[in-house]
Amino acid sequence: MNATIQSELDGLQRETLDYIRSEIQTRAYEAASRRSRMSGWLTPATSANSEARGALHLLRDRSRDLARNDPNIARALNVIRANVVGTGIRAQLDGDTAIEQAWKRWAESTDCDADGRHDLYGLQALVMRSVAESGEALVRLRPRRRSDGLSVPLQLQLLESDHLDTSKDGDTDHRGHRVVQGVEFDAIGRRVAYWIFQEHPGEYGPMRSLQSVRVPAESMLHIFRVDRPGQVRGIPWSAPVMIRARELKDYEDAQLLRQKIAACFVIFRQDQRVELANPDDPPPAEAPERLGRETIQPGIVEDVPAGQEVKFASPPSVGGYDEYVRRHLRAIAVGFGVSYEALTGDYSNVNFSSGRMGHLEFQRNVGAWQGDLVVNQLCRRVWMWFRTAASFVGIDDGGLTPTWILPRREMIDPTREVPATVAKIRGGLTTLSDAIRAEGADPTEVFRKLAEERKILNEMELTTESDPAQAKEWRMPDNAIS
């Protein structure tokens, strides 16, 4: 046998054996099958950054378009912002110190905002909204001079992710640094700089420059949700449900247009006296009588000429419309990580138990976003910047580290949940300070106010049940829940 033919046969045999081995190995997992039913499933083995490289700009633009024009997406973003940040994630510092007073003056005023619009808590809300809508947000440190009149010579400038120069991609220099979509890394993979446009690339009017500048990583915060190891850029949270939201909007528009067109045809008039034997025959010389009116208005009584029949139109019904829309909205809520009830405000099918379960599940997501995105990526870094800036004007931090107080979570049934909290405190399962923080308050401030109040009450010889020393014996109510 020809050696060439033999070689081809051997190669074909090896390929066949490899295919059989592969099928045997993956047969236990149907999802790994290569059969025809899976042939249309495209699964490229790309990294997180390769996936984002060609898609991020379009995903971000479409997400913003949906946020502008789709009330469901706008609602989801507002629900995330309101639940994660609320009135603000605040710093609690032990003792009435100079650094605490300086922090309050700076964080609770527009001194902290380079645009002069928000306090720190307003910036937190804007950051959270940007992260959910665009996938990421940038915060730039802006040191100021003492002569600028600020309580602490520091401001924060919030930038949209469009300011990152993505044309800086794949570049390396003599130091071994590489740039991935505008973010520069050193030889061991640490973020060392960001390439930033001075102006938004999409700003209208003449641009001063589209030349990006290198900003050290110590002066920038890049906040986004990390879904995969090694991910450099954030992805808009609406990405998994973007097509579904668009199709739902188109479906609702089509149904609305259908009903509007149907409503335009109020009456159909049919002549019962004239029947043409041949469609090509000319009409009779004398046309039949017509109805006396061509317009319809409420309260009309009209005589119909003999031989004519009037039929009123009935708009077509849309079977299963509510259920179809509800299913899509549930999928959108799941994609964003919020509850269906929070997204839609529809509590028609909710009882106390199901409402509480959905609320608790949603709050688990909220807690994760608060801890990772706002506290870890934003608040702690801002505190480090503030502490350094405060030292420049002679304010010593005293080695204090703040405890971050999350906004209060509303109770579903306070008559049950408050007694349960009291029982936990009395049973040693939690502390009074932690319970107060769960209400979004500063325990030190609450204790100070309680002491002042009790002092006034004692001076005036007044007794209230709010004073534990005067309260009657307390027991756990039967209907309290944990």
Side-chain angles (χ1 to χ4, degrees):
M1 182 181 295
N2 188 295
T4 303
I5 297 177
Q6 182 64 45
S7 176
E8 292 178 355
L9 289 174
D10 292 342
L12 181 60
Q13 185 179 13
R14 284 195 299 270
E15 291 177 3
T16 303
L17 290 174
D18 290 342
Y19 175 80
I20 293 173
R21 292 192 190 99
S22 176
E23 282 298 307
I24 292 174
Q25 292 170 357
T26 61
R27 188 170 296 170
Y29 296 94
E30 292 185 359
S33 172
R34 295 183 175 86
R35 295 173 182 174
S36 58
R37 62 183 297 194
M38 298 294 182
S39 60
W41 193 345
L42 302 179
T43 55
T46 52
S47 69
N49 301 320
S50 297
E51 291 175 353
R53 179 173 282 107
L56 183 55
H57 284 278
L58 189 55
L59 285 174
R60 187 173 61 213
D61 294 342
R62 287 179 174 175
S63 176
R64 290 172 180 169
D65 178 75
L66 288 172
R68 290 190 297 265
N69 298 302
D70 190 320
N72 299 314
I73 301 300
R75 168 69 176 174
L77 297 174
N78 289 333
V79 164
I80 291 171
R81 175 178 62 182
N83 281 270
V84 173
V85 175
T87 56
I89 296 178
R90 302 170 184 269
Q92 177 200 349
L93 293 163
D94 295 331
D96 188 10
T97 60
I99 190 71
E100 181 181 17
Q101 296 302 319
W103 171 264
K104 287 184 177 181
R105 287 194 302 270
W106 182 79
E108 298 178 4
S109 70
T110 57
D111 283 0
C112 64
D113 184 9
D115 293 331
R117 300 284 299 175
H118 301 282
D119 60 12
L120 181 61
Y121 314 119
L123 290 177
Q124 290 175 355
L126 195 54
V127 165
M128 195 63 227
R129 163 81 186 216
S130 297
V131 168
E133 180 183 48
S134 303
E136 53 193 349
L138 300 170
V139 180
R140 185 173 181 180
L141 166 66
R142 289 295 195 180
R144 303 304 188 196
R145 298 184 298 269
R146 293 190 182 186
S147 59
D148 290 333
L150 301 173
S151 56
V152 171
L154 167 68
Q155 288 188 317
L156 308 175
Q157 183 183 17
L158 181 58
L159 301 173
E160 288 192 311
S161 55
D162 308 61
H163 283 264
L164 270 174
D165 184 359
T166 55
S167 67
K168 303 284 188 180
D169 192 22
D171 301 336
T172 56
D173 58 19
H174 64 280
R175 297 168 295 177
H177 289 197
R178 62 188 180 94
V179 183
V180 179
Q181 301 178 60
V183 184
E184 184 177 333
F185 296 84
D186 64 11
I188 62 173
R190 294 176 300 186
R191 293 175 182 242
V192 293
Y194 293 84
W195 290 88
I196 302 295
F197 292 121
Q198 296 288 73
E199 297 181 64
H200 194 294
E203 188 63 82
Y204 69 91
M207 305 293 292
R208 289 181 297 179
S209 173
L210 278 179
Q211 185 68 32
S212 59
V213 297
R214 185 179 184 272
V215 179
E218 293 79 8
S219 299
M220 290 290 298
L221 300 182
H222 187 195
I223 303 167
F224 64 95
R225 188 182 67 189
V226 180
D227 298 318
R228 293 181 60 182
Q231 182 178 338
V232 174
R233 302 290 302 274
I235 303 298
W237 292 15
S238 61
V241 297
M242 203 172 286
I243 295 177
R244 185 180 291 271
R246 178 70 177 180
E247 289 180 343
L248 176 60
K249 185 176 183 298
D250 291 343
Y251 172 76
E252 291 182 316
D253 289 344
Q255 292 295 350
L256 177 60
L257 182 60
R258 178 188 183 191
Q259 296 298 323
K260 289 171 69 175
I261 292 175
C264 291
F265 295 93
V266 180
I267 288 180
F268 295 92
R269 181 171 54 204
Q270 184 177 12
D271 196 328
Q272 301 294 324
R273 299 180 302 174
V274 179
E275 293 185 3
L276 299 178
N278 188 336
D280 297 329
D281 291 343
E286 294 184 2
E289 291 184 72
R290 302 176 63 85
L291 282 177
R293 295 178 181 270
E294 298 293 341
T295 59
I296 299 298
Q297 63 186 28
I300 289 179
V301 178
E302 187 71 35
D303 294 328
V304 180
Q308 291 192 0
E309 180 183 2
V310 174
K311 294 183 178 180
F312 286 86
S314 57
S317 61
V318 183
Y321 176 82
D322 290 341
E323 182 61 26
Y324 177 83
V325 172
R326 192 175 293 114
R327 284 181 179 273
H328 272 273
L329 291 176
R330 288 187 185 279
I332 291 173
V334 169
F336 274 100
V338 305
S339 66
Y340 167 79
E341 291 75 22
L343 175 67
T344 63
D346 178 12
Y347 293 88
S348 58
N349 297 317
V350 175
N351 55 33
F352 176 80
S353 297
S354 63
R356 187 169 186 270
M357 290 296 293
H359 176 74
L360 291 176
E361 186 65 30
F362 175 35
Q363 291 303 318
R364 291 188 186 98
N365 286 340
V366 168
W369 298 333
Q370 287 171 331
D372 179 39
L373 298 173
V374 185
V375 173
N376 187 47
Q377 296 191 44
L378 176 64
C379 293
R380 287 174 178 164
R381 289 287 304 278
V382 169
W383 168 256
M384 294 173 61
W385 284 348
F386 174 84
R387 184 177 60 183
T388 302
S391 67
F392 292 153
V393 292
I395 301 176
D396 183 18
D397 63 5
L400 296 177
T401 300
T403 299
W404 298 99
I405 302 175
L406 304 178
R408 180 190 179 204
R409 297 182 182 179
E410 299 294 334
M411 296 181 181
I412 297 177
D413 188 351
T415 59
R416 298 184 182 186
E417 296 181 64
V418 169
T421 301
V422 174
K424 286 182 179 180
I425 296 172
R426 287 174 173 255
L429 300 178
T430 188
T431 65
L432 179 58
S433 294
D434 287 340
I436 293 173
R437 290 190 189 98
E439 291 295 304
D442 183 344
T444 303
E445 188 68 21
V446 171
F447 296 151
R448 184 183 298 115
K449 290 181 179 180
L450 284 174
E452 293 173 355
E453 183 181 82
R454 289 172 185 169
K455 180 179 179 182
I456 295 173
L457 292 173
N458 290 335
E459 290 175 353
M460 301 181 69
E461 298 183 352
L462 297 175
T463 301
T464 67
E465 289 197 5
S466 63
D467 185 352
Q470 305 295 334
K472 300 177 180 178
E473 183 66 23
W474 184 91
R475 71 180 183 86
M476 178 74 170
D478 296 334
N479 64 343
I481 60 174
S482 59

